[in-house]
Amino acid sequence: MFKFFTPSLTKFITFLLGIGLILELVSRVIVERLWFQEVGYVDIFAEQLSWQLGLWVIISGFSWWFLWGNLRQAERHKWHFIPQIPTKNKKRRKPLKQAKPQLIPESPSLGLFWLIVFTISLGCLMGFMLLYYSEVAYNVWTPDFTLPNITPPLPTPFFLDSVAEILSQLRNQLWKAGIMGGIIIVIFVNSQLYFKIISLTFSIIFGLVLSGNWTRILQYFYPTSFGEVDPQFSLDVGFYIFTLSFWRLVNFWLGGLFLVGFILVSLTYLLSANSLSQGKFPGFSRFQLRHLYILGSLLMSVIGLYHWLARYQLLYSTKGVVFGASYTDIHFLLPIYTIASVLAILISLWLLIKGITGWGRYAQIPLLKRSKLKKLPFSPLPFVIYITVIIISFLGQQTVQSFIVEPNELARETPYIERSIALTRNAFGLDKIQIKTLNAQGNLTANALNKNRLTINNIRLWDSRPLLQTNRQLQQLRLYYKFNDADIDRYGIPIENDAQLTIESDVKLPKIAKQQVLIAARELDYNEVPEQAKTWVNQHLVYTHGYGFTLSPVNRVAQGGLPFYFVQNIGTENNAGDLQTSSNAIRDNIPIDNPRIYFGESTDTYIMTNTEVKELDYPSGQDNVYNVYNGSGGIELKNWTRRLLFANYLKDWQMIFTRNFTPDTKLIFRRNINRRIRTLAPFLRFDRDPYLVTAEIKNKSEETSLYWIIDAYTTSNRYPYSEPGDRPFNYIRNSVKIVIDAYNGDVNFYIVDPSDPLIQTWRKIFPTLFKPLSEMPISLRVHIRYPKDLYNTQSERLLTYHMTDPQVFYNREDQWRIPQEIYGENQQPIEPYYLLMSLTSEAQEFILFSVYTPTSRNNLTAGLFARSDGDNYGKMLLLELPKQRVIYGPEQIEALINQDPVISQQISLWNRQGSRVIQGNLLVIPFFAEQSLLYVEPLYLEAEQNSLPTLARVIVAYENQIVMSETLDEALTSIFEPEKGDSSTIIRELDPEEQIIIPN
């Protein structure tokens, strides 16, 4: 049976597999180049490919040269037969026969038992390494495009804990145990052949790992100074972000390479001259020992580098009272790591000298020829000293911590607490937050509300969840349409005086004012197409795009308590293809031309356009309207070569046999906007919430109006002393805004924070990728907003790092928390929300806002504003409330609402069988000029089945009053103009002595 696989056949099969692999790689490169050319970034692709390919060739080539060369050297000096040990004549006391020194074993021999033990141990170690490095390479080259960041984590060197982790996986992943067993078997069967195969495998893996980390290597060659130094080593922060990561990567590679070489050479010598069948290994010869000495020297040099880099890693320690190097790290571990590094380098030099003494031409060097080093026996003493230092590092730090630090911890750790506070605040941009005080004195009046009419008119009564439920019931139109999300934005909307949600006033409003709205894209989700209609033609030629969007003001309610729509449906009386608008004024101010969505969040299929089959455009009554794509997106399938290339790339062979293609047919793939931008800029971290914008751009040839805006961040986990919390990074800047044309797929990257050193480095590397923010069209620039992901990150860090006094920080005397709110029937942390309000002038600003309470109390203590408009973009303001007075927090307000007998009775009546009340987001609205706070919470009513939420009531709390009314207007009137209040409004006076019970 096995004779069938002759050497010639094996070589032929290997040749065919090699040719197939090369063709696959070449076809993928060509297709990727065509895609990058289509989106206008072919130079970016060329640079990425050249670095990845160059790194793979250099690293794999050097690794192969090193391992192959050492295997050839071992082949030359291994035992080809069991040597005869020369004996001595006892009478003459001199050798009977002189043997060449290199043919005489100079180390103890090994019996069969120990020979098998060493062979299996080294084979297992090599198997563990192969599994570990293969998994690292796999993780590097199979990124998860659903994550905000697809840059692979920095790989860690192979240690004994890596062996323990792999052993724990063997139970559930038996194939790994099979690989381990197979490696041991082939070592015994045909060691030399498989040693060469293993050498080649490791070389390819090392090349893949380092080429997959091409972004870190590029950053090393194009660093940017931060202009800030760390307080311990006085090195620029850029060293830690750009240089340290590079040397850790080099350490990872060389450590694995030298260890594999040492194992392969050792096994070659141990298994030579049929030692297993002979039942004995005679010992290592002089040349064999010197070979192992040199490999051991290289391995110890890498260990020395590891310890030296570990000195800088102390700045990311998590063992002290704060993040970063603490007293024990600086006064104990830092000297220990320095000593261990020096010892490892000295051992490396000692082994190197022993290795080259008497080795070939080096033996003729006069200094070495006269040296007595070659006569000295190998001594384990240096290794004993080194291991002793390592053991002391493990045992001594707990002793120092317990007996020196803990008895006087605050005094010992104060300098390091100061470092962590300052650098964490800097890394997360907290040091730039301005602080302002609001006394919450309750100065609001009817006249004051009139002056703040635009703020009142933009208090959000609808949030995305009930709106999306309504959209899915009323606006999806067909099963295959999907509203993936609804996003908050602001648009210039004509003011209709009869539709304003405010108390009566003589204050004159502008004709067009910013209005806070919810916009939701109507995308096409092919997964919802009926099963019987899921054909290849429908998937790739017919169901190609979504159509339109809905636009709803956050404060207005339509008949029956449903959301009011500025833009909705598909089709009007005048034009069946237009979106329906609430008025001609809305049509004139909200662009709705060509609202086709070929690129979106839910889009995940590749399509062919301009074929013999027309595309479904939108439903019209019982029929469908069809269209042909005329945008600039897509790659032309103009010949059979391209059809073959793409058929192979997509593994879709129907592309070859279909007859529906024309000379103008285009292929559009990578239509999911998240995957699209991650392919172009894998080194950025992306916001999880892309949002749709409808805008008219002047001087643009294509008549498109829909664009996606995505925030991108530069991040690092290498900023010294900066505590990351639960996040995988400890430095972040919102440096880039990305705009994607929903019709053509064009992608543009705009820099919004040119002062960020990381984006400066990437701009050096890819000068054509990024554009200044000034080049973003004005109609899009007015829609940029402070991103929630960044805000949540900074807000979470501010809970602790608003405390800048070391003693207060150490004792956590003023720790904050994110308060909870009831949404529906569940408690959840209050999410930040957007407001349109005035901060420092009469101009309305689009602001992201949230509040804090102390950990030990539920009173409101502070609020954080992040600004989004014009020159104020990115500025933050911390609103502090007086601690000497009790100011109700959101949990206390909700408790007062839910334990009020009249309001709770009304809610209980609605919560009868078949329906339920949903308590919406509780909003805290600050008024700076009046030094006041207003609390607003909407109540929604929905059926338990076929949910269609309606706005049932609005609850307003101010000072000592809680009011529940049908509209916000009526609630405000009942508080500030009670003589004009509605009789149906429930007004409750708060008793200052009333005990507030906060539910758990």
Side-chain angles (χ1 to χ4, degrees):
M1 176 180 176
F2 295 103
K3 292 182 179 179
F4 177 77
F5 293 99
T6 62
S8 299
L9 181 60
T10 302
K11 291 180 180 179
F12 179 71
I13 293 175
T14 305
F15 173 76
L16 290 180
L17 290 175
I19 293 296
L21 180 61
I22 292 172
L23 290 176
E24 178 71 19
L25 291 175
V26 170
S27 67
R28 293 189 73 85
V29 169
I30 294 174
V31 169
E32 290 293 338
R33 185 188 182 281
L34 289 171
W35 184 82
F36 274 86
Q37 186 177 22
E38 178 227 334
V39 293
Y41 294 109
V42 68
D43 55 332
I44 307 299
F45 169 74
E47 187 160 0
Q48 287 188 24
L49 179 64
S50 60
W51 275 96
Q52 290 174 339
L53 187 60
L55 285 170
W56 182 80
V57 169
I58 292 171
I59 301 302
S60 295
F62 179 84
S63 301
W64 173 239
W65 170 82
F66 176 83
L67 295 176
W68 181 267
N70 278 281
L71 279 176
R72 289 183 62 187
Q73 193 77 12
E75 279 287 309
R76 191 158 47 244
H77 295 293
K78 72 178 184 179
W79 298 118
H80 297 283
F81 55 87
I82 299 297
Q84 296 295 324
I85 308 299
T87 59
K88 294 183 179 179
N89 188 316
K90 294 182 180 180
K91 294 180 180 180
R92 296 185 179 183
R93 293 189 177 181
K94 54 166 112 173
L96 292 175
K97 181 181 179 182
Q98 295 290 337
K100 293 182 178 180
Q102 64 268 27
L103 299 179
I104 300 174
E106 295 191 2
S107 70
S109 61
L110 296 175
L112 181 61
F113 173 76
W114 287 109
L115 178 62
I116 292 176
V117 169
F118 280 120
T119 302
I120 292 179
S121 299
L122 291 173
C124 287
L125 183 59
M126 188 163 57
F128 285 127
M129 291 184 67
L130 183 61
L131 290 174
Y132 177 76
Y133 284 99
S134 298
E135 187 171 357
V136 170
Y138 177 80
N139 292 334
V140 166
W141 284 97
T142 55
D144 186 351
F145 285 92
T146 63
L147 297 177
N149 183 24
I150 64 171
T151 300
L154 191 67
T156 55
F158 179 81
F159 288 120
L160 291 179
D161 57 348
S162 306
V163 174
E165 183 180 350
I166 295 173
L167 283 173
S168 66
Q169 297 173 357
L170 295 182
R171 295 180 181 178
N172 300 325
Q173 299 175 325
L174 295 178
W175 60 273
K176 290 186 177 180
I179 290 177
M180 295 288 299
I183 289 175
I184 295 173
I185 291 172
V186 299
I187 286 174
F188 287 105
V189 174
N190 192 344
S191 59
Q192 293 310 306
L193 172 62
Y194 286 100
F195 283 172
K196 294 174 182 177
I197 295 175
I198 288 173
S199 299
L200 179 61
T201 303
F202 271 105
S203 299
I204 293 173
I205 290 173
F206 290 142
L208 288 174
V209 172
L210 265 74
S211 62
N213 281 275
W214 61 276
T215 56
R216 292 187 173 93
I217 296 173
L218 268 174
Q219 285 181 316
Y220 173 76
F221 288 107
Y222 295 89
T224 300
S225 173
F226 273 66
E228 307 160 6
V229 296
D230 79 278
Q232 180 58 43
F233 298 103
S234 297
L235 296 172
D236 188 89
V237 173
F239 165 81
Y240 297 93
I241 291 181
F242 302 121
T243 304
L244 183 58
S245 298
F246 171 80
W247 283 110
R248 288 186 63 199
L249 198 60
V250 170
N251 187 250
F252 166 86
W253 165 48
L254 293 182
L257 178 64
F258 295 156
L259 183 56
V260 169
F262 186 87
I263 294 173
L264 290 175
V265 169
S266 299
L267 286 172
T268 299
Y269 289 145
L270 287 173
L271 297 174
S272 60
N274 296 320
S275 58
L276 285 174
S277 60
Q278 296 292 330
K280 181 180 180 181
F281 175 68
F284 294 104
S285 70
R286 179 179 300 178
F287 277 129
Q288 292 172 1
L289 284 174
R290 282 172 168 74
H291 192 183
L292 292 175
Y293 286 155
I294 291 176
L295 289 174
S297 170
L298 293 173
L299 192 56
M300 288 305 298
S301 68
V302 173
I303 293 174
L305 175 62
Y306 171 79
H307 287 304
W308 189 260
L309 297 178
R311 298 164 69 252
Y312 302 111
Q313 285 294 115
L314 289 174
L315 302 192
Y316 312 104
S317 172
T318 58
K319 297 178 181 177
V321 294
V322 291
F323 186 86
S326 60
Y327 182 92
T328 302
D329 297 319
I330 298 302
H331 292 85
F332 176 75
L333 284 180
L334 181 58
I336 287 290
Y337 286 165
T338 305
I339 293 170
S341 179
V342 172
L343 277 175
I345 296 299
L346 289 176
I347 293 172
S348 173
L349 292 173
W350 175 61
L351 291 174
L352 179 64
I353 292 173
K354 286 188 67 63
I356 65 176
T357 302
W359 181 278
R361 65 178 182 273
Y362 298 107
Q364 306 305 318
I365 299 176
L367 180 63
L368 296 178
K369 192 173 183 180
R370 294 193 299 269
S371 175
K372 296 181 180 180
L373 285 173
K374 61 182 179 181
K375 298 180 182 179
L376 292 176
F378 178 83
S379 173
L381 182 60
F383 295 95
V384 172
I385 297 174
Y386 169 76
I387 293 173
T388 302
V389 171
I390 299 302
I391 293 174
I392 291 174
S393 71
F394 283 106
L395 301 180
Q397 54 182 320
Q398 187 57 47
T399 303
V400 173
Q401 186 71 23
S402 299
F403 293 100
I404 297 177
V405 176
E406 290 182 1
N408 196 16
E409 191 170 51
L410 178 58
R412 299 284 189 190
E413 299 288 8
T414 292
Y416 309 104
I417 294 174
E418 291 174 343
R419 293 178 180 184
S420 182
I421 291 173
L423 292 175
T424 300
R425 286 174 59 84
N426 192 8
F428 287 95
L430 307 184
D431 56 336
K432 297 181 176 63
I433 297 177
Q434 298 176 347
I435 299 177
K436 192 172 183 179
T437 301
L438 189 143
N439 293 321
Q441 296 173 345
N443 296 330
L444 270 181
T445 63
N447 289 332
L449 285 181
N450 290 333
K451 295 177 181 178
N452 290 277
R453 287 185 65 188
L454 292 177
T455 299
I456 297 298
N457 289 346
N458 282 284
I459 292 177
R460 178 166 60 83
L461 302 180
W462 292 100
D463 66 61
S464 60
R465 280 165 285 194
L467 179 77
L468 283 174
Q469 286 179 276
T470 303
N471 277 4
R472 288 161 185 161
Q473 292 285 336
L474 304 178
Q475 292 294 314
Q476 283 193 181
L477 307 180
R478 293 290 189 272
L479 290 175
Y480 46 77
Y481 283 133
K482 178 181 181 180
F483 287 97
N484 185 68
D485 193 13
D487 298 297
I488 292 284
D489 203 348
R490 69 284 195 198
Y491 286 82
I493 302 294
I495 289 183
E496 303 171 23
N497 290 323
D498 59 343
Q500 293 310 301
L501 190 63
T502 183
I503 59 180
E504 294 180 5
S505 171
D506 296 330
V507 176
K508 189 175 182 180
L509 295 176
K511 292 183 179 180
I512 295 180
K514 287 182 183 178
Q515 170 71 60
Q516 193 173 186
V517 298
L518 280 160
I519 184 170
R522 187 185 290 108
E523 296 190 60
L524 189 143
D525 184 6
Y526 184 77
N527 294 323
E528 298 301 323
V529 172
E531 286 297 325
Q532 60 272 23
K534 287 185 177 180
T535 63
W536 186 87
V537 170
N538 279 342
Q539 182 177 5
H540 301 295
L541 308 184
V542 177
Y543 292 97
T544 58
H545 60 277
Y547 199 96
F549 59 94
T550 64
L551 191 75
S552 311
V554 297
N555 64 320
R556 291 182 61 177
V557 182
Q559 188 175 3
L562 294 173
F564 181 86
Y565 288 101
F566 285 144
V567 180
Q568 63 176 329
N569 297 330
I570 301 175
T572 64
E573 294 180 1
N574 299 327
N575 192 331
D578 282 349
L579 302 178
Q580 185 176 335
T581 58
S582 60
S583 67
N584 290 331
I586 294 295
R587 176 182 293 275
D588 294 336
N589 287 273
I590 302 296
I592 58 173
D593 297 327
N594 193 8
R596 298 173 178 88
I597 302 174
Y598 279 83
F599 301 85
E601 294 182 85
S602 301
T603 307
D604 59 0
T605 59
Y606 56 91
I607 61 170
M608 278 68 76
T609 62
N610 293 288
T611 65
E612 297 287 350
V613 180
K614 288 190 175 182
E615 307 165 36
L616 171 67
D617 204 22
Y618 56 87
S620 179
Q622 299 299 318
D623 299 322
N624 292 325
V625 177
Y626 294 88
N627 185 59
V628 176
Y629 178 74
N630 63 351
S632 59
I635 304 170
E636 293 182 352
L637 299 175
K638 52 188 177 183
N639 51 49
W640 278 96
T641 303
R642 285 196 177 184
R643 291 176 69 168
L644 285 169
L645 279 173
F646 284 107
N648 178 63
Y649 179 85
L650 300 170
K651 298 298 180 283
D652 183 355
W653 306 109
Q654 287 273 20
M655 293 179 63
I656 299 175
F657 303 107
T658 184
R659 297 183 179 180
N660 291 314
F661 289 174
T662 69
D664 298 323
T665 295
K666 290 182 178 181
L667 169 69
I668 305 178
F669 70 103
R670 218 168 264 151
R671 298 194 299 142
N672 183 281
I673 56 174
N674 292 301
R675 191 178 184 93
R676 197 171 185 85
I677 57 177
R678 283 160 175 75
T679 302
L680 287 170
F683 44 84
L684 297 175
R685 177 177 290 270
F686 300 95
D687 196 89
R688 291 171 294 181
D689 186 23
Y691 59 100
L692 189 71
V693 169
T694 176
E696 183 179 351
I697 298 179
K698 296 180 179 179
N699 303 322
K700 185 170 181 181
S701 57
E702 295 91 355
E703 293 183 358
T704 60
S705 59
L706 295 183
Y707 302 86
W708 296 98
I709 296 182
I710 306 175
D711 287 276
Y713 311 103
T714 50
T715 60
S716 175
N717 62 353
R718 297 286 91 199
Y719 202 95
Y721 278 103
S722 173
E723 183 183 353
D726 296 329
R727 290 170 172 80
F729 54 85
N730 66 354
Y731 171 90
I732 184 171
R733 292 292 184 269
N734 177 214
S735 300
V736 178
K737 300 283 185 181
I738 306 171
V739 176
I740 304 175
D741 189 323
Y743 186 67
N744 295 307
D746 299 335
V747 184
N748 289 286
F749 295 78
Y750 298 98
I751 295 179
V752 292
D753 186 4
S755 64
D756 172 36
L758 276 171
I759 203 62
Q760 290 178 30
T761 285
W762 288 118
R763 195 170 190 177
K764 294 176 191 174
I765 298 169
F766 300 117
T768 61
L769 179 62
F770 300 103
K771 301 176 181 178
L773 184 62
S774 58
E775 293 188 15
M776 181 187 288
I778 286 290
S779 57
L780 290 175
R781 206 185 313 165
V782 296
H783 291 283
I784 65 173
R785 65 185 191 184
Y786 202 90
K788 276 190 178 181
D789 279 359
L790 175 61
Y791 182 94
N792 285 331
T793 298
Q794 294 174 307
S795 179
E796 186 272 332
R797 291 291 76 203
L798 195 65
L799 299 177
T800 302
Y801 285 92
H802 70 277
M803 297 179 284
T804 55
D805 182 87
Q807 184 171 352
V808 174
F809 186 95
Y810 177 80
N811 295 320
R812 296 297 196 267
E813 296 175 17
D814 192 24
Q815 181 76 31
W816 293 347
R817 66 182 180 90
I818 304 292
Q820 301 281 313
E821 69 171 348
I822 298 174
Y823 191 94
E825 299 175 351
N826 304 315
Q827 275 203 336
Q828 65 180 25
I830 288 183
E831 297 180 359
Y833 47 89
Y834 290 98
L835 296 172
L836 263 175
M837 59 173 292
S838 174
L839 272 182
T840 58
S841 64
E842 295 183 0
Q844 297 295 109
E845 294 187 53
F846 195 56
I847 296 168
L848 189 57
F849 179 64
S850 189
V851 295
Y852 305 109
T853 60
T855 54
S856 57
R857 295 176 291 120
N858 296 306
N859 300 338
L860 201 63
T861 189
L864 182 64
F865 294 90
R867 304 166 77 174
S868 299
D869 292 331
D871 295 335
N872 291 323
Y873 176 83
K875 294 180 181 179
M876 304 189 79
L877 175 66
L878 181 64
L879 177 70
E880 291 188 341
L881 298 166
K883 295 180 174 62
Q884 65 273 15
R885 291 196 298 111
V886 175
I887 300 173
Y888 287 142
E891 290 155 321
Q892 293 170 317
I893 293 294
E894 286 202 325
L896 289 169
I897 293 172
N898 292 321
Q899 67 192 41
D900 182 269
V902 178
I903 295 177
S904 61
Q905 181 182 16
Q906 181 62 58
I907 293 175
S908 298
L909 288 174
W910 283 325
N911 274 326
R912 56 190 176 185
Q913 187 176 4
S915 65
R916 61 173 181 167
V917 172
I918 299 176
Q919 291 185 240
N921 297 128
L922 177 62
L923 307 181
V924 182
I925 315 296
F927 294 86
F928 279 92
E930 293 76 20
Q931 293 289 296
S932 301
L933 293 174
L934 191 70
Y935 302 84
V936 178
E937 181 178 75
L939 292 183
Y940 309 107
L941 189 64
E942 69 170 356
E944 292 183 357
Q945 296 181 350
N946 299 320
S947 172
L948 191 63
T950 58
L951 183 65
R953 292 291 186 273
V954 178
I955 298 176
V956 177
Y958 176 72
E959 291 297 300
N960 64 338
Q961 285 186 307
I962 294 180
V963 172
M964 185 170 75
S965 186
E966 291 187 4
T967 67
L968 178 60
D969 179 48
E970 292 176 3
L972 293 174
T973 301
S974 298
I975 293 175
F976 297 101
E977 296 181 334
E979 67 280 2
K980 299 180 181 179
D982 191 281
S983 58
S984 63
T985 299
I986 298 175
I987 303 175
R988 304 294 297 167
E989 297 288 338
L990 299 180
D991 184 357
E993 303 296 329
E994 183 179 359
Q995 182 182 4
I996 302 174
I997 302 173
I998 307 296
N1000 295 326

